[in-house]
Amino acid sequence: MMQKLEQQLCFEVYKAANQFTKLYAKTLQPFGLTYPQYLVILALGDEDNQTTSSLCDRLGLGIGTLNPVLQKLVEKGLLKKEPSKKDKRASYFSLTEAVKKLQPAIEQAIVEKLFCFDYLPTEGPILKERLQQLNEFLEMMNKEETV
Amino acid sequence: MMQKLEQQLCFEVYKAANQFTKLYAKTLQPFGLTYPQYLVILALGDEDNQTTSSLCDRLGLGIGTLNPVLQKLVEKGLLKKEPSKKDKRASYFSLTEAVKKLQPAIEQAIVEKLFCFDYLPTEGPILKERLQQLNEFLEMMNKEETV
DNA sequence: CAAATTTATATCGTATACGATATAAATTGA
DNA sequence: TCAATTTATATCGTATACGATATAAATTTG
């Protein structure tokens, strides 16, 4: 027998991801940002001046996905792209002053929209830890095939 | 201060969804199916003969997303589309014999790939319940704006 | 050191995913 | 009843997301 849809973990993850993207899209829209674009900014906020491949690793995305996102952010003047001097193939991305000025307002919008309710601050951390374990498992599974 | 990327629940959900999609893509590829296409088949497995809007509700997707998926499944001969007699606007979708014959093999492939390890059978159900709660919260948040 | 391999980025084709808009059919209401 | 609204589906434009392929630069190897 086929497993029922409701019984499947992957389906709950799938729905949650779509819902989160929608919610963030609404919140970030006044800033002209999408959720993946915002993730890039967060990643560079943690550690500025990263290469494309470093950002791919960090966000768990392929270069075919991330490259257009990075290009768009550069066009918008939110990222600066500089060729590496040591490695002529590589480029480094860093946050511009424009986006640094924007960050507090973005954070406030997200806190107001998402974290003003009890649910996420209470349940979020527990769920997050379990999802981290799940992600370790899934990453392992996705690498498995290469062997 | 901007929240660190690792601290964010939404980011873990985002990564998990991408990883799951990749894993299912590999598993379903021999059957010529993508993950969303498989979800449609699962939804109709639970209850056959549903309208487009019913499937949209069930999968949490908009019609702009689901319509092309349904069209492709019909083209492949896996779904049958029939106009409703009572409502000239509506269409009903049901599984063809072709896909019903395929289902056991699909299920076996997924079990072999994903559920042969301890992790998902053990941790899956706990995580799933918490994600269901999260999804209720997120759906509420996404509806909120209409008010 | 030169050939073979690997690495870093770029591009392409396919498939979602979303919101906005369009259209026809059904329903509601004055 | 018949205009106004709602509902069901369809289509369009934008933005991911993936794997495959391409290319140039760096690294490894024989």
Side-chain angles (χ1 to χ4, degrees):
Chain A
M1 247 306 275
M2 209 81 165
Q3 267 201 69
K4 283 207 178 220
L5 198 51
E6 284 84 5
Q7 287 168 7
Q8 305 224 9
L9 171 64
C10 56
F11 181 51
E12 295 302 321
V13 171
Y14 174 79
K15 282 190 293 186
N18 287 341
Q19 297 282 348
F20 260 133
T21 302
K22 265 191 265 190
L23 207 48
Y24 271 85
K26 260 185 235 168
T27 314
L28 293 168
Q29 197 242 331
F31 306 99
L33 288 173
T34 64
Y35 182 58
Q37 289 169 11
Y38 167 71
L39 284 182
V40 171
I41 291 169
L42 276 190
L44 288 170
D46 284 354
E47 186 193 333
D48 210 0
N49 220 41
Q50 293 185 58
T51 62
T52 307
S53 58
S54 162
L55 287 168
C56 283
D57 284 354
R58 200 71 146 62
L59 300 176
L61 297 172
I63 197 164
T65 301
L66 201 53
N67 218 30
V69 176
L70 292 171
Q71 283 176 355
K72 248 165 235 160
L73 285 168
V74 170
E75 280 167 26
K76 287 180 191 173
L78 301 178
L79 292 192
K80 195 172 52 181
K81 181 179 183 177
E82 285 178 311
S84 164
K85 283 156 193 167
K86 291 178 187 170
D87 188 333
K88 285 184 185 172
R89 298 165 303 176
S91 306
Y92 281 87
F93 290 90
S94 50
L95 300 174
T96 62
E97 290 307 314
V99 74
K100 282 179 188 169
K101 273 182 199 158
L102 222 57
Q103 278 185 331
I106 295 174
E107 193 199 0
Q108 197 190 344
I110 288 169
V111 170
E112 275 175 16
K113 183 83 115 196
L114 277 159
F115 294 95
C116 57
F117 293 92
D118 263 347
Y119 183 76
L120 283 184
T122 310
E123 295 295 320
I126 308 163
L127 191 47
K128 194 203 63 186
E129 261 186 60
R130 288 193 175 278
L131 280 169
Q132 282 171 342
Q133 286 171 23
L134 173 65
N135 280 326
E136 278 174 34
F137 173 75
L138 291 174
E139 278 169 36
M140 185 198 66
M141 294 297 294
N142 272 322
K143 275 176 196 162
E144 199 83 344
E145 302 316 300
T146 330
V147 184
Chain B
M1 246 308 275
M2 210 82 164
Q3 267 202 72
K4 284 206 179 223
L5 198 52
E6 285 85 4
Q7 288 169 5
Q8 305 225 9
L9 172 63
C10 56
F11 182 51
E12 296 302 321
V13 171
Y14 174 79
K15 281 192 294 185
N18 287 341
Q19 298 281 348
F20 259 133
T21 303
K22 264 191 267 189
L23 207 48
Y24 271 85
K26 259 184 236 168
T27 314
L28 294 168
Q29 197 243 329
F31 305 99
L33 289 173
T34 64
Y35 182 59
Q37 290 169 10
Y38 167 71
L39 285 181
V40 171
I41 291 168
L42 276 191
L44 288 170
D46 284 353
E47 187 193 332
D48 210 1
N49 220 40
Q50 293 185 58
T51 61
T52 307
S53 59
S54 162
L55 286 168
C56 283
D57 284 354
R58 199 70 148 61
L59 300 176
L61 297 171
I63 196 166
T65 300
L66 202 54
N67 218 30
V69 176
L70 292 171
Q71 282 176 355
K72 248 165 237 159
L73 285 168
V74 171
E75 282 167 25
K76 287 181 192 174
L78 302 178
L79 292 194
K80 195 171 51 182
K81 180 179 182 176
E82 286 179 310
S84 163
K85 283 157 192 166
K86 291 178 187 170
D87 188 333
K88 285 185 186 171
R89 298 165 302 174
S91 307
Y92 281 87
F93 291 89
S94 50
L95 300 175
T96 62
E97 290 307 314
V99 74
K100 282 179 189 168
K101 273 182 200 159
L102 222 56
Q103 279 184 332
I106 294 174
E107 193 199 0
Q108 197 190 343
I110 287 168
V111 169
E112 274 175 16
K113 182 84 116 194
L114 277 158
F115 294 94
C116 57
F117 293 92
D118 263 349
Y119 183 75
L120 283 184
T122 310
E123 294 295 319
I126 308 163
L127 191 47
K128 194 203 64 186
E129 261 186 60
R130 288 191 174 278
L131 280 169
Q132 282 172 341
Q133 286 171 22
L134 172 66
N135 279 325
E136 278 175 33
F137 173 75
L138 291 174
E139 278 169 37
M140 185 198 68
M141 293 297 294
N142 272 322
K143 275 176 195 160
E144 199 83 343
E145 303 314 301
T146 330
V147 184

